[in-house]
Amino acid sequence: MVHRSARERREILRGIRERASGSEPLVRTVRLPDGAGDDLLGYAAAVPAVQALRGDGLDLHPEVTFLVGENGSGKSTLVEAIAVAAGLNPEGGSSQMRMSTRVSHAPLGDHLQLVRGGRRPRTDFFLRAESVFTVATELDRIAEEPYAGDVLGPYGGVSLHELSHGESFLAIAGNRFGGDGFYVLDEPEAALSAQNQLTLLRRIHQLVREGSQFVIATHSPLLLAYPGARILGCDEDGLRELAYDDAPAVALTRSFLAAPERFVDRLLADD
Ligand SMILES: Nc1ncnc2c1ncn2[C@@H]1O[C@H](COP(=O)(O)OP(=O)(O)O)[C@@H](O)[C@H]1O
Ligand SMILES: [Mg+2]
């Protein structure tokens, strides 16, 4: 008889449940194994949200998992490491893209373990708002190579450099993303108007219905409203699950919009 640990048995049972309910994720759990000591993780070892991945690790929602939290709380460190562990380029792009203009990412991604679901992703992409430019440059470069084929076709047929920042972001999500994909996004709202954040929300919904899974770091109350999503707050204590109304970006925006003048008067009042 094969001996299985308690954790393995739990995972097998969970897989059976998920297949029965039709909610099987592409990536089920992100975990930092015991063997990955702090000395191997670079600056990421000092990030509490990273330390929270030890032990049982972090279970991803089969559809959409959001990471929220203050600037510096570790969202980018986490999403980048998840992207790297999934075989994606830390700079952004798909698992086929290998450009490198920056070497500052933490080695965390080389040590994170992804527990995959029973389905394999058909495609994938890591998109950070600030790296749309790098992705666009890399695509133009590949398109110039002999026998490159129709490199820009899957992105809407034009160089992304000819579009605005927000437009190129939506072109990638609208044209290049497809069903059964694993997508990691870092603050996608940074490039997008409120209206286009809603366009992205619709696109996420369409892709989820086609079997895709998302991990998204965000400050956007609009994106966070995705129905049923798992919202995880990163803070000095690690990671904790939050209800939509309790996500700091939502609570603060709500109290601001309830009475903007009063809010700003108070904010700007002399002590
Ligand atoms: N390349 C880096 N080198 C050293 N420290 C870093 C680096 N990138 C981020 N940090 C530090 O790690 C912490 C988490 O940063 P980050 O993941 O970028 O936060 P967030 O995306 O939530 O704003 C911060 O304290 C930040 O200063
Ligand atoms: Mg960040």
Side-chain angles (χ1 to χ4, degrees):
M1 202 176 118
V2 184
H3 176 74
R4 298 189 192 281
S5 68
R7 180 187 276 163
E8 281 173 323
R9 283 200 300 274
R10 249 194 341 265
E11 268 162 18
I12 290 167
L13 283 174
R14 189 153 47 159
I16 293 169
R17 259 200 320 275
E18 284 163 357
R19 273 190 292 282
S21 67
S23 65
E24 185 160 7
L26 296 166
V27 177
R28 177 174 297 144
T29 305
V30 179
R31 175 195 299 155
L32 193 53
D34 296 338
D38 286 356
D39 52 318
L40 299 176
L41 306 181
Y43 78 84
V47 176
V50 168
Q51 294 297 343
L53 302 179
R54 295 194 183 279
D56 283 347
L58 161 65
D59 285 340
L60 299 183
H61 190 283
E63 298 180 347
V64 181
T65 304
F66 289 112
L67 292 170
V68 302
E70 257 316 316
N71 296 128
S73 61
K75 302 179 299 299
S76 293
T77 303
L78 274 187
V79 292
E80 184 176 277
I82 291 171
V84 169
L88 292 159
N89 189 319
E91 302 243 2
S94 69
S95 42
Q96 270 87 50
M97 294 177 111
R98 281 286 161 258
M99 68 282 192
S100 179
T101 56
R102 198 177 61 107
V103 288
S104 67
H105 72 278
L108 173 64
D110 300 332
H111 299 285
L112 268 195
Q113 240 175 30
L114 299 191
V115 180
R116 296 188 179 265
R119 304 186 294 134
R120 284 261 137 196
R122 198 181 49 77
T123 180
D124 49 25
F125 216 94
F126 176 36
L127 201 49
R128 46 194 340 162
E130 73 261 34
S131 66
V132 168
F133 184 88
T134 319
V135 170
T137 305
E138 175 67 2
L139 285 174
D140 284 357
R141 189 191 64 74
I142 301 172
E144 292 285 302
E145 287 180 351
Y147 314 111
D150 184 17
V151 173
L152 297 175
Y155 292 82
V158 292
S159 164
L160 296 178
H161 280 307
E162 290 169 29
L163 303 175
S164 79
H165 191 195
E167 285 170 332
S168 47
F169 200 97
L170 282 184
I172 295 172
N175 300 305
R176 168 59 180 73
F177 287 12
D180 296 315
F182 183 65
Y183 301 109
V184 182
L185 311 181
D186 194 1
E187 296 192 26
E189 71 274 15
L192 300 175
S193 67
Q195 184 62 56
N196 278 335
Q197 290 176 49
L198 298 178
T199 304
L200 178 63
L201 199 61
R202 278 177 64 87
R203 180 66 181 142
I204 290 171
H205 184 51
Q206 199 175 30
L207 290 162
V208 162
R209 276 186 310 197
E210 295 169 4
S212 294
Q213 185 181 14
F214 287 82
V215 181
I216 306 174
T218 188
H219 297 291
S220 166
L222 299 176
L223 293 179
L224 286 172
Y226 190 84
R230 179 145 203 236
I231 302 177
L232 294 161
C234 306
D235 61 21
E236 60 283 358
D237 295 326
L239 282 171
R240 67 200 166 102
E241 189 145 9
L242 296 171
Y244 177 77
D245 289 321
D246 298 330
V250 174
L252 183 63
T253 306
R254 175 172 283 144
S255 89
F256 181 91
L257 289 177
E261 283 177 20
R262 192 147 40 90
F263 194 105
V264 172
D265 278 350
R266 245 184 294 138
L267 181 71
L268 306 185
D270 293 330
D271 301 293

